[in-house]
Structure formats: C-alpha cells, structure tokens
Amino acid sequence: MELTREEEDMLAGKQGATKRVAMEGLVQLGRAYGAPRMVEIGYAHVHAGMALYLEDVEMIEELAGQNARFSVPTSVNIANADTVNWQQTGAPEKLARLQQRAGTAHHKLGSSCTFTCTPYWAGHWPTWNMHMTSIESGVTVFCNSVIGAKSNRDGYFSVYAGLTGRYPLFGYHLDENRRGNMLFAVDAQLSGTTDFSCLGFHIGKVVGDGVPVVTGFKRRPSLDELDALGVGMATSGGVALFIIPQITPPYASIEQAFAFGPVPDPLPVRRADIDAVYDYFCTSPTGDVDIIHVGCPHASFEEMREYAEMLRGKKVSANVEFWITTSRAVRNMSQEQGLLKVLEAAGAKVIADTCPISCHFARTVSPDPALGVVPPTIGTVLVDSAKQAKYVRDMIRCDTLLAPTAQVIEAAIAGRYAGPTAQGRTP
Amino acid sequence: MKEFHARGIVSGKGAGPALVSEEAISFLGDIDIKSGRVVGDLASVRNASVRGTVLIIPYTRGSAGAWRFLYQLFKHGNHPAAIVSNIVPDPAVIQGAILAGIPTVCEPQGDFKEAIANGQRVEVEVKDSIGIVRLG
C-alpha cells in the first residue's frame, strides 16, 4: 500500500501515539481489501462510547486524555441514554452519568455531540464525491444514495479515520463499485415513511450486499421517505448504496446506474411484498402494547411537525408509554418552534440521544448490576419502522407490531392498537 | 506438525483448540458476550464456547455492528485466540479483531479444510500480511 509522506509519519508515530495506532489499524484494513492507497476524508460519523458496554465510554475518554483531536468535521452516533432527561426512559442515574462522560470526552476531541443516528437532520451534510466514514450503516446508505458522498459500512474505525483524516481506498470509495447489480420496478402506491421502510426491508432481503437500482416511483419520494428506504435496506441486507436515477447523484438514467453495461431484467415489487413485511413484524396476538415508538431513525424536524399536528390537543392514554426519539439538535429546534410543548402536553416522551433498541438491547445482552442495569421486562412494542421492529424483536426478544405512523399515533391516544395483529393475519 | 499458508489479515500470534463451524457466523447475535457461547442457529457449533479457541469459519455474516461484539467478547475475556476464515471477513469483523488483538487469517491454502478437526491444537501467526496456520 502506497502511503504519502504525511501518512508514513503518522504510521511511524511522528504525530503521536494515537495517530500511530489509528494509522496501523487503517493500513491493516486497507491491506485486507487490496487498497492501493489512502484517500482524504471530509467528514466522519463516529462511535459515541456506549455506557451499556464494558469499558466502552472509557475508550473515547482514553483518546481525549491523550490530547487527540479529530482532524475533520465529526458527528457522534446514538448513545445508550438520554443524557439530559434519562429519567424518562427509566435509565439508572449511574448509567446516565457514565454516558455523560462520553459527551465530555467528545467535546475535548472536537466532535459535534449530536448523539444521533441521523446526523444529517442535525446539520451534517457532506457533498457529492466527498470521501467520508460512518459507524452507522443508515448514515452510510443515506450519504451514498441521497447525497452522493462516498462511504463504506464501518465500525469503530470511523474514529481512526476521523483522527487521521484518512481511509483506505476500497469498497464504495471506488467508482467501479458504485453501480447497480439488480433492478427493481416498484408497482405499488406507497405513502409515508413506514411504507418506504418496508420497501427497503424487502429489497435489502433480495439484494443482500448488492447495489439495488430502484425505479417506478409515482412521485419523487420525500427526504424522510428516502431515509426510511435506505435504513430499511441496511437492516435486512448489507446495502451501502441504492441508486434511484434522477435522485442519486450523479445517475441520470437506468443505463448510467449500470455503468452503460447490461441492464438486468426488472424485478417487480408489488403491494403484497410491502404488506408481507408488515405481517412479518406483527408477532403479537393482541393489540395490547407496553411501548409505542416513533422516530427510527431519529426523527427529522419535518417528522416532529407531523407528530405535533396529529397530537395537538389530544392525550396519550395512561395505559401506554409513547416515545418519540430524535436528536437533541432537532429537539431543540422543535422546542423553539413550540412543537415540544404540544407533544409534551399530549403526554408524549420526547427522548434524545437514544432509542428503544439503544437503551434496551444492551440491557438484554449485557445487563450490568454495577450500573443498576437489569434485563427489561417488555411485552409488546408498537413501532412505525422496520429497523426498530427487527432489533426489538430479535435482540430485546419481545413481540412487535408494525404500522404506519398515523395508526401508531392513533393507538397511543386510544391506548391500544386496533389494526391487524398476528392473530388477525395468521389463520 | 502440518503447516498451511494463508492471507494474513490481522497481525499477531494465537493458539488453541480448533472450533470448526460449518456455518457462517455473525458476531452480532450468534455469540453471547457474557459467556462466549454460541447461541445463534449454527447447528455445528451450537452451545460451544469460542473462548480461547481458534475459530474456523467459512465466512462472516454481515452486520456493521460486528466489531463491537467481537471487542466486547475480548473485554469480557471470552474471545477466540485466533480466527481462520475461508473468505476475507467483513470490514466490521476485521475492525473488531484489530481492536481486540485477535490474529486473523483467510484463504488457508492446500487441504486445510480436510486436515482440520474439532479440538485439534492450532497455532496462527500473522506478520506483514503473511499468515501461517500450524496444526499439531
């Protein structure tokens, strides 16, 4: 692997131990994938340091303690607790205090402390052709497919890339890998983010870690719908990039999406395929639910406006907990707009920095009595996102119901979900 | 002692009894980090512990979160001593193996697959992208 003088210096430790370790890791990763050289990145979305995992916050603190600094604009991924209003989710104070320490460390490192899976709604919007890294696969697929930036599905090494400003040239950083390998023709009326989330989940299952080219939309999907589509794909498959001609930069046509090579026969996607995903995630035999959740991925300001319109003057039933999860940046915007008041008056819990998966999943796999963390006791969760449904069901291992946002909010008001349940669907 | 060449992915040296999985593994979900036991639906290794073993796998199943679980296995002291994969592992797995210092190779040469058996002592050594797997 060919390195520049500066990269060699980092590898030799001339720019400090932190960059040496980071560059050693990046070089090993690059060699594994035959990368010829490094590229300069313009943005990194990095690991928060998760309070529910053993010595995980300490990893970030250690970097900050070594006086390391991120060398590119850096946003921070979702955390295990709302670091301001942790009581809302029943998080133990010890856990919240530990999570707050990650924020302090990130401030030192120079990160923008977004604590979100949707940093783009918090203002982190790279450009077309910009190399970047992301620890969150939903961010990878959004930035590749909607913005036209270049990102792989990374893990912790997004931190290493952010520290050095470098990443090995392989995968979706290479134009030759940014081309379609399957063609989908959508032949269904779709409305709202849940439909798009289910469409994405369906496509991801079929395409695996390929690049789906998607056509047939009756109208231009909204930004929120595009977000839901990509996150759905990244959940069921290893998708990092989808191409919608005329939306995904720079693809103007189906032919260009396949690099002017052979175009495969289109696979039709019908309403029944979308409905099958709803069915798949309706495992509860009744409409009784414990937690009702919207905001996966973290809600945009537009979505906060939608929720507020539906809840204005209404009351969430005392029988259920209704969670809206978003970033603190969007929560602040919503507060200034007067939306937060409307939502809280209706009895919604507006939670930032985390989500049901992030604050309950690790309680399931790694309960820690020292932090007061015990496995959760949840019967059924009603959600409007296929991603949240999948991880709630498979990881927290409780029953799920999946419905469009409007029906989910109606259920929060009624205290019960009146739509189809597992019993209603399975003969 | 039999020696096989392989592509070195993660540098280091590790040894232990072989744990041979016929199925691809997902570090997010298939292994319980608190015990090191295989809890996923992998018929050939179900309930076995990966702790201290040289884990032999056909390939890794994708999840961008795999690095965290491999690293958490290490933090809980339940990590494998080395990993031998037929196909190059996912980037997230490589990142976890580097963080945890678990030597990793792929594409073992010759009749490695026929030669390897569960419980057999295996040593993996990786230096400068060159991997060596010793059975003995």
Side-chain angles (χ1 to χ4, degrees), chain A residues 25 28-29 31-33 47 53-56 59 135 137 153-157 160 170 361 365-367 395, chain B residues 7 9-11 28 32-34 63-64 67-69 71-72 75-76 88-91 94-95 98-99 129:
Chain A
Q28 285 199 69
L29 179 66
R31 279 196 186 139
Y33 284 91
H47 186 47
Y53 295 97
L54 191 60
E55 292 169 22
D56 204 66
M59 269 175 110
I135 189 176
S137 56
R153 289 160 58 105
D154 281 296
Y156 184 79
F157 277 28
Y160 287 169
F170 76 98
F361 168 35
V365 295
S366 180
M395 303 299 189
Chain B
R7 256 189 82 199
I9 301 295
V10 180
S11 299
L28 196 167
D32 174 28
I33 55 178
K34 298 280 266 194
S63 163
W67 71 273
R68 178 180 309 140
F69 291 84
Y71 188 61
Q72 281 291 305
K75 280 286 169 188
H76 284 90
V88 62
D90 291 313
I94 295 176
Q95 296 180 14
I98 293 173
L99 284 172
S129 299

Side-chain angles (χ1 to χ4, degrees), chain A residues 203-262:
Chain A
I203 290 175
K205 232 173 24 177
V206 177
V207 80
D209 58 4
V211 178
V213 178
V214 191
T215 62
F217 294 107
K218 309 269 191 287
R219 59 174 170 82
R220 201 176 168 89
S222 71
L223 281 169
D224 286 323
E225 287 169 339
L226 291 169
D227 190 21
L229 177 68
V231 165
M233 287 179 190
T235 301
S236 60
V239 174
L241 164 71
F242 65 76
I243 299 175
I244 303 178
Q246 295 289 336
I247 287 180
T248 304
Y251 306 92
S253 64
I254 293 175
E255 289 71 25
Q256 192 182 355
F258 289 98
F260 302 102

Side-chain angles (χ1 to χ4, degrees), chain A residues 109-121:
Chain A
L109 288 162
S111 333
S112 144
C113 265
T114 48
F115 287 127
T116 184
C117 53
T118 55
Y120 28 94
W121 304 145

Side-chain angles (χ1 to χ4, degrees), chain B residues 10-131:
Chain B
V10 180
S11 299
K13 198 171 169 180
L19 179 66
V20 184
S21 174
E22 300 297 328
E23 300 86 15
I25 217 159
S26 165
F27 285 96
L28 196 167
D30 281 346
I31 301 171
D32 174 28
I33 55 178
K34 298 280 266 194
S35 67
R37 291 203 174 275
V38 178
V39 293
D41 202 11
L42 310 174
S44 61
V45 287
R46 199 172 158 81
N47 289 325
S49 170
V50 300
R51 179 180 177 171
T53 67
V54 172
L55 186 59
I56 319 275
I57 51 176
Y59 56 97
T60 56
R61 278 191 293 121
S63 163
W67 71 273
R68 178 180 309 140
F69 291 84
L70 197 45
Y71 188 61
Q72 281 291 305
L73 273 173
F74 164 70
K75 280 286 169 188
H76 284 90
N78 292 324
H79 57 292
I83 298 173
V84 179
S85 179
N86 263 352
I87 299 171
V88 62
D90 291 313
V93 172
I94 295 176
Q95 296 180 14
I98 293 173
L99 284 172
I102 301 170
T104 301
V105 298
C106 67
E107 299 159 19
Q109 303 296 301
D111 61 349
F112 174 77
K113 224 184 145 204
E114 288 71 38
I116 187 75
N118 261 323
Q120 194 171 8
R121 193 184 151 75
V122 187
E123 190 180 287
V124 174
E125 191 174 355
V126 181
K127 211 183 155 192
D128 295 330
S129 299
I130 295 166

